[in-house]
Amino acid sequence: MKKSFAIIILLISVVLLHAQAPETTDNILKQAYIKAKAENKKIFIKFSASWCGWCKKMDFSMKDTSCAKLFDDNFIIITLIVDEKSDKKHLENIGADSLILKYNGNRNEGIPFWFILDEGGELLADCYYINEKSKNANKKSMIGCPANEDEVNAFIQIIKRTTTIDEKNLEKIRVRFRKNEYIPKKT
């Protein structure tokens, strides 16, 4: 009887522990590929962390009523958790760090880092662009969460290249993301 009770407690513990663990990146991607193929969509993968303010801005912008449907109609949106502080490391998706590196990510540039894949896993676009105002015009800059005019313009070009969203609706996305820019008030 004691042995049966101990086995039941052990099984319950394993089930509860498994239920709390984040899903692995490989499993998330497999499901995304299937869904993207079935729905004829691209896969928008964004890397985020609970402490990241710009990640939250990106989420709020993509989910804003002005453009959420545009993103939902064109993308399977996946958020993978990385770079958590020690007390929240358990939230990270196993394998997410490796996926960033696989698709040209530089772990020193921070988050949100994102890219767009087709239903077969081919990289269509990432969050890098040539920043013409940079001191080194040949060096790519990371967009992260688009906010300033150059970032938003680059983001719009990426969305335009990877979807069939028309100019009118691209403008809705542009307007929403431009609201992310911090402009200090003049005193």
Side-chain angles (χ1 to χ4, degrees):
M1 176 83 163
K2 286 183 182 180
K3 191 174 185 179
S4 296
F5 183 72
I7 290 172
I8 290 171
I9 295 297
L10 179 64
L11 286 173
I12 290 171
S13 298
V14 168
V15 167
L16 289 175
L17 183 62
H18 180 70
Q20 294 174 348
E23 209 171 345
T24 67
T25 298
D26 285 343
N27 286 341
I28 292 168
L29 285 177
K30 284 176 190 172
Q31 292 169 21
Y33 294 143
I34 292 167
K35 191 171 181 180
K37 188 170 187 166
E39 296 179 19
N40 194 29
K41 294 181 181 180
K42 307 299 187 284
I43 303 167
F44 192 107
I45 299 178
K46 182 178 69 68
F47 297 84
S48 186
S50 63
W51 53 264
C52 175
W54 281 104
C55 298
K56 289 178 172 95
K57 281 186 181 192
M58 183 98 178
D59 289 340
F60 291 142
S61 299
M62 291 176 78
K63 293 175 183 175
D64 188 279
T65 56
S66 64
C67 57
K69 185 171 177 8
L70 298 170
F71 284 103
D72 290 341
D73 287 351
N74 288 276
F75 297 106
I76 303 300
I77 300 169
I78 305 295
T79 300
L80 296 173
I81 306 301
V82 294
D83 297 343
E84 285 293 346
K85 305 294 184 210
S86 59
D87 62 328
K88 294 194 177 185
K89 280 285 189 197
H90 65 281
L91 298 175
E92 292 183 357
N93 294 102
I94 297 168
D97 272 333
S98 298
L99 190 65
I100 289 174
L101 297 174
K102 179 179 177 181
Y103 289 103
N104 306 326
N106 178 342
R107 295 303 294 128
N108 296 324
E109 291 183 332
I111 52 177
F113 177 81
W114 51 266
F115 52 82
I116 299 170
L117 303 175
D118 69 10
E119 72 278 352
E122 183 180 331
L123 181 67
L124 300 176
D126 59 29
C127 59
Y128 292 108
Y129 74 110
I130 298 293
N131 183 350
E132 314 243 334
K133 295 178 183 173
S134 171
K135 293 177 184 171
N136 182 353
N138 292 325
K139 182 180 185 275
K140 288 187 173 187
S141 297
M142 187 176 88
I143 297 172
C145 176
N148 70 43
E149 187 175 349
D150 290 338
E151 293 167 344
V152 172
N153 287 340
F155 184 63
I156 294 300
Q157 288 306 310
I158 290 167
I159 299 300
K160 185 177 185 175
R161 193 172 73 240
T162 58
T163 70
T164 58
I165 299 175
D166 63 24
E167 292 297 326
K168 178 182 171 190
N169 286 310
L170 287 169
E171 187 59 25
K172 291 177 184 177
I173 295 171
R174 179 189 317 281
V175 168
R176 175 57 190 91
F177 276 88
R178 285 294 285 135
K179 291 178 182 178
N180 292 328
E181 184 171 29
Y182 172 74
I183 302 172
K185 293 184 180 182
K186 296 179 181 178
T187 54

